[in-house]
Amino acid sequence: MKFINIKDWGLGINFQHPYLIAGPCSAETETQVLQSCKGAAEQGAMMLRAGIWKPRTRPNSFEGIGKKGLPWIKAAGKENQLPVTVEVANKDHVKEALAAGVDILWIGARTTVNPFATQEIADALLGVDIPVMIKNPVNPDIDLWIGAIERFYGAGIKKLAAIHRGFSVSRSAPFRNLPMWEIPIELGRRLPQLEIICDPSHICGNRKLIPEVAQKAMDLHFAGLMIETHIDPDEAWSDAKQQLQPNALGAVLKNLVLRKSETDDKNFLAQLETLRVDIDKIDRELTQLMGKRMKIVEAIGQCKKENGITILQMNRWVKIFDNRVAATIAEGLSEEFAQAFIQSIHNESIRQQTRVMNKEVL
Ligand code: PEP
Ligand code: MN
């Protein structure tokens, strides 16, 4: 896939990195949209957002003002000379948004998760030249995310970007949606040309955490940020805890440390190269050691097979899991890594022994 990058979307504005999308979670009243967007624009927003149709977890919450809010966000765009974006979740939303002259569409996390919905929206956009930003699905499934991107690309939309808004998992504390940075990083590896915007608001669910997440996104070289901004956040009709007052948005941006992803500074490059040579050597040793370990595992499998013993001895696994994790942590590594590392080695050991056990059967 060959995407058109955000700065070439032809929106008539001079995009500067990092791209900033800001505006309220939901359009509530005309005044609230105009004031929130004006505040966001004054702090450097390059696109203005407002949710018109809101996908809410429970019924009887505010489900969006509906199409009567479209002229409000358009008016905010006009007043601040900025393009505007709204979320669309079905073909009727697309029709209304296009009729109102919305400049950019975004697909919400609860829509990306559903291939019927993304295909319906993509079909409704056949032959339309409009940029689309696609949020990650609520669940941590990168293929659903890529699948949605492919559906829009297949409908002829080349002005595409992704938005990382975290994942709904059972243990997400302190976040509302766990960032799982490895997923957008993997998206970047698989679609290197695709620009990814981070949405700290929906990751954090709490305005206090926004600076930390926004900084991390910048350090991971995301293309931009989408941050919910409301003129009076505490009184917001949706996502009150996570929205920022325009001045607070300004403070977050001012405190961001922006680092460049590359340089041609010779000294730095030489120093980095030396360190990377060491890393490459260690990685080679690690893989060789792992191969050696698995040869022993194979011999153990053979031995168990000959003696009619099961592959797994739970009491040994319980014991080695705990002491290997502790030893890994003692080397200065995180508990999360230690557990995943030991589990991954053990899974491979089981796979190898299963192969030995069933050799003749297979
Ligand atoms: C939103 O951006 O207001 C929104 C509903 O986001 P998400 O789809 O990420 O939950
Ligand atoms: Mn929101």
Side-chain angles (χ1 to χ4, degrees):
M1 288 186 277
K2 184 141 182 39
F3 306 109
I4 299 175
N5 287 345
I6 296 175
K7 65 173 173 37
D8 301 319
W9 281 359
L11 296 168
I13 88 153
N14 180 18
F15 280 104
Q16 298 292 329
H17 191 261
Y19 308 136
L20 177 66
I21 307 165
C25 175
S26 300
E28 300 163 6
T29 66
E30 183 170 20
T31 313
Q32 169 261 357
V33 172
L34 290 173
Q35 291 184 349
S36 303
C37 288
K38 184 163 185 281
E42 282 167 359
Q43 300 303 333
M46 296 165 212
M47 294 180 208
L48 299 172
R49 62 152 283 155
I52 297 292
W53 301 280
K54 299 302 298 179
R56 303 307 296 278
T57 304
R58 306 281 299 272
N60 306 322
S61 342
F62 172 59
E63 293 193 308
I65 204 74
K67 67 178 179 187
K68 86 173 203 216
L70 288 167
W72 306 343
I73 181 78
K74 272 307 284 180
K78 195 157 174 227
E79 187 178 291
N80 299 289
Q81 298 189 326
L82 290 175
V84 300
T85 181
V86 305
E87 172 178 350
V88 289
N90 61 39
K91 59 177 185 314
D92 297 332
H93 296 164
V94 170
K95 211 166 115 206
E96 299 292 354
L98 294 179
V102 166
D103 306 286
I104 304 145
L105 303 177
W106 95 74
I107 308 300
R110 293 163 193 77
T111 306
T112 307
V113 86
N114 180 349
F116 288 135
T118 49
Q119 192 61 56
E120 173 186 310
I121 300 168
D123 290 345
L125 288 174
L126 262 174
V128 182
D129 178 24
I130 190 163
V132 179
M133 304 186 290
I134 304 177
K135 289 202 173 194
N136 64 255
V138 275
N139 58 325
D141 182 339
I142 192 172
D143 286 310
L144 268 179
W145 201 0
I146 294 179
I149 294 163
E150 287 168 341
R151 287 174 201 281
F152 285 92
Y153 194 84
I157 309 280
K158 308 279 186 291
K159 295 173 180 169
L160 285 169
I163 301 178
H164 166 233
R165 50 77 80 197
F167 301 88
S168 176
V169 295
S170 57
R171 279 175 36 197
S172 65
F175 302 106
R176 174 178 175 193
N177 292 293
L178 199 65
M180 303 181 80
W181 298 100
E182 66 279 13
I183 297 182
I185 291 172
E186 173 63 7
L187 182 71
R189 191 186 69 81
R190 284 167 61 175
L191 301 174
Q193 201 223 326
L194 183 71
E195 287 173 309
I196 311 179
I197 307 277
C198 179
D199 169 351
S201 306
H202 290 89
I203 291 177
C204 298
N206 167 346
R207 61 181 77 95
K208 280 200 208 74
L209 297 170
I210 289 179
E212 171 196 322
V213 169
Q215 182 62 54
K216 177 131 181 185
M218 292 299 93
D219 288 335
L220 293 175
H221 200 54
F222 278 64
L225 297 167
M226 178 188 253
I227 300 182
E228 287 185 339
T229 309
H230 191 290
I231 196 66
D232 190 1
D234 288 334
E235 297 304 317
W237 300 359
S238 61
D239 289 350
K241 286 204 212 92
Q242 73 193 29
Q243 301 202 60
L244 291 180
Q245 214 274 332
N247 286 334
L249 172 70
V252 170
L253 299 171
K254 198 169 130 262
N255 290 325
L256 280 181
V257 181
L258 299 177
R259 301 174 171 97
K260 36 187 200 276
S261 77
E262 276 166 20
T263 173
D264 24 69
D265 178 326
K266 298 257 169 351
N267 274 339
F268 164 80
L269 289 174
Q271 204 182 345
L272 192 63
E273 186 50 29
T274 317
L275 293 167
R276 283 182 171 164
V277 165
D278 290 348
I279 286 269
D280 292 350
K281 183 165 167 278
I282 290 177
D283 284 351
R284 242 182 349 262
E285 287 167 6
L286 271 175
T287 41
Q288 282 164 358
L289 259 179
M290 211 49 82
K292 234 161 131 180
R293 184 190 197 279
M294 291 305 159
K295 284 271 168 303
I296 301 174
V297 164
E298 214 175 287
I300 293 178
Q302 190 60 39
C303 193
K304 286 179 180 168
K305 182 181 178 181
E306 283 160 13
N307 290 280
I309 305 291
T310 55
I311 292 175
L312 185 67
Q313 276 73 51
M314 191 52 93
N315 55 352
R316 163 136 172 109
W317 169 229
V318 169
K319 215 162 57 206
I320 68 167
F321 179 76
D322 288 347
N323 81 31
R324 304 293 200 269
V325 167
T328 311
I329 293 172
E331 292 298 328
L333 298 151
S334 70
E335 184 177 355
E336 192 189 348
F337 170 77
Q339 292 181 350
F341 176 59
I342 300 305
Q343 239 151 16
S344 172
I345 295 176
H346 190 246
N347 284 347
E348 182 61 12
S349 300
I350 288 185
R351 223 173 279 132
Q352 295 287 345
Q353 292 187 56
T354 308
R355 190 176 49 78
V356 172
M357 289 271 179
N358 298 317
K359 218 177 222 163
E360 273 130 29
V361 196
L362 292 174

